Amino acid sequence: MLAMVLNHPGNEHTFHAEERAIPVSTSTDSVLKIMAFGLNYAELLTRNGESPDVKFPRVIGIEAVGTVSDTTTDSGFHVGQTVMTLMGGLGREFDGSYEEYALIPNHQLYPLPIKDSWAQLATIPESFYTAYGSLNRLRLSTGAHLLIRGGTSNAGIAALLLAKAMGYTVSTTSRNSDKLTTLQNLGADETLLDCGSLETTTSFDGILELVGTSTLRDSLQHLAPTGTAVVTGGLGGEWSLPDFSPFEIPGYLTNFQSTNVNAQLLSQAVALIKDHRLQLPIAQTFKLTDIAQAHQAMVNSHKIGKIVVIANHE
Ligand SMILES: NC(=O)c1ccc[n+]([C@@H]2O[C@H](COP(=O)([O-])OP(=O)(O)OC[C@H]3O[C@@H](n4cnc5c(N)ncnc54)[C@H](OP(=O)(O)O)[C@@H]3O)[C@@H](O)[C@H]2O)c1
């Protein structure tokens, strides 16, 4: 089988195509035939050597969808079952998705009972789990007014789709006025141009902050006294708030991290995706052998949607 291996950090041309033996299941791990996976900016940082805990050589990639191709009878899975995996050390502590087959701990395989193309299924794990986990932290009631800051990011679009399915009113942002119509077409009730500060008189019940601490102070200006803001992203490149006082928080402030997956939350997200036929746009698809071009697209493409790599064909 083909694995695109990083023997050391470097640019997008550092991936080395390696022929490896297909792994064999163990008492704790099953073999996943990887059909497709989405790309994440975090993988570009790992490739650059900016993830100090990642040791090389490593097959990176923090999420994948595919079928179980080898497993033991007591794993809870059967050969041919459609599953997904994400996070929990995937592509960091052990080899991840940039290969045709991967050995995955059984407790990190999750059923994916949705019928769709592999490319479409590949948009689900990290973006929808992050979005749903973040919304869950907000504890909103039906009809609540949500603000998504960083609305054109994949997590932002997944949050918009989920939030509409959950019955919220959604305002969402972009720095780019050209993208606002796309957000409306995806179901946003209101779109706001983000110029570093937001022009709105609304007091939001919930705020999903994906731009991060660079806009958090401004976001909190628009939070209702009983509202909650969740910090999940750092698109603005900042992850802390200088001279922060807790008295700046009008309501409640929390965070979400997808590092350790809560299987119950993930299955609730999958149920919403299935019931409401939610589809995150796909920006571009690539072959596994074109991983260098896929990484270039992460930097250069300004299209809305997930970049997906197809690892195997049926
Ligand atoms: N906490 C967690 O567990 C978790 C999990 C996954 C991702 N994340 C974080 O969540 C964020 C979103 O991730 P993603 O993969 O969904 O992102 P993504 O799809 O790569 O987001 C791309 C969009 O971000 C916006 N953007 C880029 N730079 C920006 C800046 N300096 N200021 C404001 N907006 C900027 C751009 O939108 P416009 O041009 O339209 O403004 C761009 O289209 C990232 O910070 C990521 O690290 C966190």
Side-chain angles (χ1 to χ4, degrees), residues 1-5 16-20 59 98-100 288:
M1 67 138 187
L2 175 69
M4 300 304 291
V5 185
H16 173 68
E18 204 172 291
E19 198 55 33
R20 291 183 168 183
V59 175
Y98 292 17
E99 56 186 343
E100 290 178 324
L288 183 56

Side-chain angles (χ1 to χ4, degrees), residues 214-266:
S214 56
T215 49
L216 180 61
R217 275 200 164 96
D218 182 65
S219 293
L220 290 175
Q221 302 288 319
H222 305 290
L223 185 66
T226 52
T228 304
V230 59
V231 180
T232 297
L235 289 166
E238 291 176 27
W239 294 91
S240 62
L241 209 51
D243 302 322
F244 170 71
S245 159
F247 295 99
E248 294 177 51
I249 309 167
Y252 303 88
L253 178 62
T254 186
N255 68 76
F256 176 76
Q257 295 179 55
S258 63
T259 316
N260 297 309
V261 176
N262 176 322
Q264 200 184 348
L265 280 185
L266 183 59

